[in-house]
Amino acid sequence: MPAIHRRPRWALAESQSTPEAAFEGRRALLKGLGVVAGAAVLPPSGRAQDGGDAAARTAGLYPASRNAAYTIDRPLTPEEVSSAYNNFYEFGSHKQIARAAQALATHPWDIAIDGLVEKPLTIGFEDLVRKMPLEERLYRHRCVEAWSMTVPWTGFPLSALLAFAKPTSAARYVRFETFNDPGVAGGQKQVWYPWPYVEGVTMEEAANDLAFLVTGAYSKPLAKQFGAPLRLALPWKYGFKSIKSIRRITFTDEQPVSFWEEIAAGEYGFWANVNPEVPHPRWSQAEERVLHTGETVPTQLFNGYGPEVAALYAGREDEALYR
Ligand SMILES: Nc1nc2c(c(=O)[nH]1)N[C@H]1C(S)=C(S)[C@@H](COP(=O)(O)O)O[C@H]1N2
Ligand SMILES: [Mo]
């Protein structure tokens, strides 16, 4: 498969680049966007033709009230940092994709809900978000590349989507799929990647309180580089499970094969639960570099969310739960 010789490029370990280099990269990007430190990060998209993007059309839903059950022991990552250092391979296999991602048109944005459900349907994002109970949660995020951040997401529990979608009792997994539009997302012209990006969880994981569908961040509609208009946040798993810009949600009895698993099953598996004691084949997972501060801190089992999720994995000890 042609991906083999590209491998060092797509999965360059974060630990191979210095915090200084990353910081310089962000600074250069922010300068390019005409953003000054401390100011709002990205200007509203200049492309809001055709009745505007989802963000402008749903701005009135924000801010949502914060759910105090989901707070954290770490400072929030400044918005100008987290929104200028992203993994979104559809727009390039590097972190400075924020500007390119502004080309994504998020209105209209239809989401298909299909597979093992009472009644398959397609719903516009803006209709869906208005039916869902929005709240803000502060979540940690731990990328498999050993960096981390802390973000105030706004969204709704995945369990609320389950109640809306009405899967049948035959459903065992939820499969998520991102848009596929190489004309807009230049990374999707790189045919050695198995587009579209796919992720999946078990029904039990989907029903867990922590599983969250994100529609906003920093008390505003979601910026495009974060995966507008709808992305997942699974804070106890490596970041690649938190799929962006979801177009299709399918209930199935077959374990989905995710994007990264398809590329390198030995490195990125279905479960991908955070565990400092199970190294990635090419680097340690014991510690993580905190975005912005550059501080190195110990990584925690399940990214610190063990009390909420450890029971999901009882009896599955034989499986590759931690990659
Ligand atoms: N569709 C899609 N979703 C994606 C990715 C991607 O490349 N494409 N990258 C993943 C990875 S590796 C991480 S760490 C997070 C990054 O989210 P952020 O850019 O909001 O920090 O998005 C995840 N979701
Ligand atoms: Mo990641």
Side-chain angles (χ1 to χ4, degrees), residues 87 143-144 239-240:
N87 273 332
C143 177
V144 73
F240 66 84

Side-chain angles (χ1 to χ4, degrees), residues 110-114 120-123 175 246-250:
D110 282 345
I111 296 164
I113 298 178
D114 59 14
L121 59 90
T122 296
I123 183 167
R175 179 186 184 277
I246 295 165
R247 259 294 170 36
R248 185 172 171 206
I249 302 174
T250 305

Side-chain angles (χ1 to χ4, degrees), residues 161-225:
L161 187 279
L162 299 186
F164 173 76
K166 300 196 179 72
T168 69
S169 59
R172 294 181 54 212
Y173 301 91
V174 194
R175 179 186 184 277
F176 300 87
E177 195 178 284
T178 297
F179 71 87
N180 191 11
D181 189 352
V184 166
Q188 293 184 324
K189 291 187 177 127
Q190 301 188 314
V191 294
W192 52 87
Y193 289 115
W195 309 112
Y197 199 101
V198 168
E199 262 306 339
V201 293
T202 64
M203 288 297 289
E204 295 72 30
E205 290 175 321
N208 187 274
D209 285 341
L210 277 179
F212 200 52
L213 276 165
V214 171
T215 62
Y218 299 94
S219 307
K220 294 178 300 202
L222 201 59
K224 293 182 181 181
Q225 62 270 37

